[in-house]
Amino acid sequence: METTGYVTLSRQTGLMREMQVVANNIANSATTGYRQEGLIFSEFIQSTPGQSSISMSRANIRNTSAEQGALTQTNGTFDLAIEGDGYFKVETPMGERLTRAGAFSPNADGDLVTADGNRVLDAGGSPVFVPGDAETINIAPDGTISADGNPLGQIGLFMPTEPHTLVREDGVMFRVDGDVEETDQAKILQGFVEGSNVNAISQLARMIEIQRAYEMGQSFLETEDQRIRNAIKNLIK
């Protein structure tokens, strides 16, 4: 394969990866706490003696949108939404993780957990306990949780000290390859959940653009392949 083929193939590979990211965004456009993901393309340029430089692209770096998702009122006692920049911290079998999905509920032991059964952690890193015999549970904007008017603890809100260390592990769960610190730049809303921040219309439009760009690249590869075949035929005549 000549240089033109390798250059085009590098672009096609990046477009395929972006298509997977966009498709995943659209599939999660109704997922509570989901944050839209994007792909960053990087360009590598190599000079060649006596010829024009060669430019190839890669698309291996993903970035997560920090845009606020729409807040929906549910009036659920343990439905919590974050307004502002911050994440809940939860305990998973793989270690502590961050999430914006705040549709919680108490388990049989009284621990506040996610839909997957992961325990929600307070500001000190301990599980949040909810007494089963409490008649009223109130959660203040700063995360203070009270049962029948008696403070029990404080649900923590956290942020990575370096935003680029936030790594998505699945739809709504993030790992931090670095340090995490408490934040006071956000507040908790009881009785609300945060919806996905995916703009489905723009993502559908982008999917069409990617498909057309991929088809154009495929057409170029086929034309280049035919050109090389014809050149070889002429040489061996």
Side-chain angles (χ1 to χ4, degrees), residues 24-25 28 31-37 62 64 87 90 92-94 97-101 114-116 118 166-175:
N24 187 57
N25 286 337
N28 285 282
T31 301
T32 299
Y34 181 85
R35 305 215 117 179
Q36 181 172 304
E37 194 171 36
R62 300 189 178 194
T64 301
Y87 294 85
V90 298
T92 76
M94 302 299 292
R97 297 293 185 265
L98 301 183
T99 184
R100 294 276 297 194
T114 67
D116 294 328
N118 300 315
L166 192 68
V167 181
R168 187 190 301 270
E169 285 201 335
D170 63 18
V172 296
M173 205 71 69
F174 295 89
R175 180 183 81 248

Side-chain angles (χ1 to χ4, degrees), residues 97-217:
R97 297 293 185 265
L98 301 183
T99 184
R100 294 276 297 194
F104 304 133
S105 61
N107 63 11
D109 297 325
D111 294 325
L112 197 63
V113 298
T114 67
D116 294 328
N118 300 315
R119 296 192 295 181
V120 181
L121 303 180
D122 63 16
S126 299
V128 176
F129 176 75
V130 179
D133 57 353
E135 294 184 4
T136 60
I137 299 293
N138 293 311
I139 301 173
D142 67 352
T144 300
I145 181 169
S146 303
D148 298 329
N150 300 311
L152 299 176
Q154 185 179 24
I155 298 174
L157 289 180
F158 302 86
M159 281 289 290
T161 55
E162 298 292 339
H164 68 272
T165 61
L166 192 68
V167 181
R168 187 190 301 270
E169 285 201 335
D170 63 18
V172 296
M173 205 71 69
F174 295 89
R175 180 183 81 248
V176 178
D177 293 337
D179 296 326
V180 174
E181 61 184 3
E182 284 188 72
T183 179
D184 58 1
Q185 301 302 309
K187 63 180 180 180
I188 295 176
L189 302 179
Q190 185 180 19
F192 289 80
V193 291
E194 181 185 11
S196 168
N197 69 354
V198 172
N199 186 325
I201 294 176
S202 68
Q203 289 295 286
L204 283 169
R206 180 55 187 162
M207 177 177 281
I208 294 172
E209 291 175 354
I210 296 170
Q211 182 177 356
R212 289 176 176 170
Y214 189 87
E215 290 172 351
M216 185 182 299

Side-chain angles (χ1 to χ4, degrees), residues 75-97:
N75 295 320
T77 302
F78 302 106
D79 284 344
L80 308 178
I82 300 174
E83 187 175 49
D85 294 330
Y87 294 85
F88 299 110
K89 183 186 288 187
V90 298
E91 183 182 57
T92 76
M94 302 299 292
E96 295 180 349
R97 297 293 185 265

